[in-house]
């Protein structure tokens, strides 16, 4: 089951038109980074976004928390000193959106600061709020972000153990993990700890088949070991074709 990442795909369209474009391209499910400019958007903005999802008749399966100024290099607020209130307010808003749309996966990027007791406390708060909305929280290792401290699955698992909440799992982005040197074959041994999977080929971060990764082979191993969740197509389009799905 593939879902389309609306922050990476169909970007030639305004954001509110992308859910319908995903539907027209054959996707029944979508995911998205935080779709607003601020951590606390106006009610009308939230309603417009939710309406676009509902009107397109697609399922929202993944939603990122506000991560700061991403183009400037920000990668989350969970570890950002002094922004705890902003983070927690955004958690509550994100969880409310998820509850209304039936979204079950919330991605809380760590941020470009070291993990402290406050970071862990923030994550525990987020996990508890997510649980009340019937959702899980996922921790994502990233590549291409030198200051971001969570780069491997092992580092994510260490943080997840410290958070100590049953609904906190790994977001296994095969592109980021491979780029950072992780052995993707080992992921199949930890399927019970994986909450969501995303794909892009490497190098280049294009669609499957444009790089050197055996993405479908790795997905087959994850499925064989019990992974039943969605796989997010989170890549930079090269051919602008979805023919790769025929080979999955």
């Amino acid at each position: 089951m593939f879902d389309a990442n609306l922050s990476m795909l169909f970007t030639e369209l305004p954001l509110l038109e992308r859910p319908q474009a995903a539907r027209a391209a054959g996707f029944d499910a979508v995911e998205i980074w935080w779709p607003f400019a601020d951590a606390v958007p106006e009610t009308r903005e939230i309603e417009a976004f939710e309406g676009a999802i509902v009107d397109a008749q697609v399922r929202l399966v993944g939603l990122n928390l506000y991560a700061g100024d991403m183009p400037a290099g920000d990668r989350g607020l969970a570890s950002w000193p002094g922004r705890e209130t902003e983070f927690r307010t955004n958690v509550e808003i994100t969880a409310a959106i998820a509850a209304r749309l039936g979204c079950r996966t919330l991605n809380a990027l760590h941020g470009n600061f070291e993990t402290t007791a406050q970071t862990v406390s923030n994550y525990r708060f987020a996990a508890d709020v997510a649980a009340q909305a019937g959702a899980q929280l996922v921790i994502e290792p990233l590549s291409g972000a030198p200051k971001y401290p969570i780069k491997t699955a092992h580092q994510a698992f260490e943080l997840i153990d410290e958070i100590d909440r049953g609904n906190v799992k790994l977001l296994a982005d095969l592109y980021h993990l491979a780029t950072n040197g992780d052995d993707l074959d080992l992921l199949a041994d930890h399927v019970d700890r994986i909450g969501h999977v995303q794909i892009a080929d490497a190098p280049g971060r294009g669609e499957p088949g444009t790089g050197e990764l055996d993405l479908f082979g790795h997905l087959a191993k994850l499925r064989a070991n019990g992974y039943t969740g969605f796989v997010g197509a989170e890549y930079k389009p090269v051919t602008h074709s979805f023919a790769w799905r025929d080979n999955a």
Side-chain angles (χ1 to χ4, degrees):
M1 295 181 291
F2 293 103
D3 71 81
N5 187 291
L6 300 182
S7 299
M8 296 284 285
L9 302 180
F10 311 107
T11 56
E12 70 278 7
L13 298 173
L15 186 143
L16 295 183
E17 295 180 17
R18 296 178 200 171
Q20 185 60 55
R23 180 72 176 181
F27 290 97
D28 297 324
V30 298
E31 61 181 51
I32 194 168
W33 304 347
W34 183 244
F36 312 106
D38 303 302
V40 183
E42 295 183 11
T43 299
R44 61 176 178 80
E45 296 178 284
I46 295 174
E47 291 175 344
F49 170 72
E50 293 178 356
I53 296 292
V54 172
D55 291 346
Q57 297 183 323
V58 291
R59 178 181 173 188
L60 183 68
V61 299
L63 177 61
N64 284 27
L65 274 67
Y66 177 69
D69 186 347
M70 293 276 283
D74 296 346
R75 292 295 184 270
L77 302 188
S79 65
W80 197 317
R83 299 185 75 170
E84 294 84 8
T85 298
E86 183 181 10
F87 174 81
R88 295 185 178 212
T89 300
N90 179 249
V91 166
E92 293 175 334
I93 293 169
T94 307
I97 295 171
R100 288 191 293 270
L101 293 178
C103 179
R104 296 291 176 260
T105 299
L106 305 182
N107 182 11
L109 294 181
H110 181 280
N112 298 325
F113 301 87
E114 66 178 14
T115 301
T116 64
Q118 183 62 59
T119 308
V120 174
S121 176
N122 284 342
Y123 270 123
R124 287 174 177 167
F125 174 85
D128 292 343
V129 173
Q132 292 171 9
Q136 64 179 349
L137 197 72
V138 290
I139 307 294
E140 181 180 15
L142 297 180
S143 64
K147 296 180 181 179
Y148 192 85
I150 309 298
K151 293 181 168 60
T152 66
H154 177 71
Q155 289 171 328
F157 287 144
E158 286 188 325
L159 175 57
I160 290 167
D161 287 341
E162 192 170 2
I163 296 168
D164 193 25
R165 293 292 189 273
N167 66 326
V168 181
K169 297 193 174 186
L170 169 71
L171 194 166
D173 183 310
L174 302 191
Y175 165 79
H176 286 310
L177 294 173
T179 300
N180 287 340
D182 256 3
D183 186 344
L184 299 185
D185 285 327
L186 297 180
L187 289 175
D189 297 330
H190 303 281
V191 166
D192 60 324
R193 306 196 72 186
I194 296 174
H196 189 57
V197 174
Q198 292 175 331
I199 57 169
D201 217 331
R205 205 177 184 182
E207 57 260 42
T210 59
E212 301 173 357
L213 295 182
D214 180 18
L215 290 171
F216 297 135
H218 292 301
L219 290 178
K221 290 177 183 178
L222 290 171
R223 298 291 192 199
N225 279 268
Y227 181 74
T228 59
F230 281 90
V231 175
E234 190 194 46
Y235 60 77
K236 300 175 182 177
V238 177
T239 67
H240 296 276
S241 168
F242 297 107
W244 57 266
R245 292 178 299 188
D246 299 333
N247 301 316

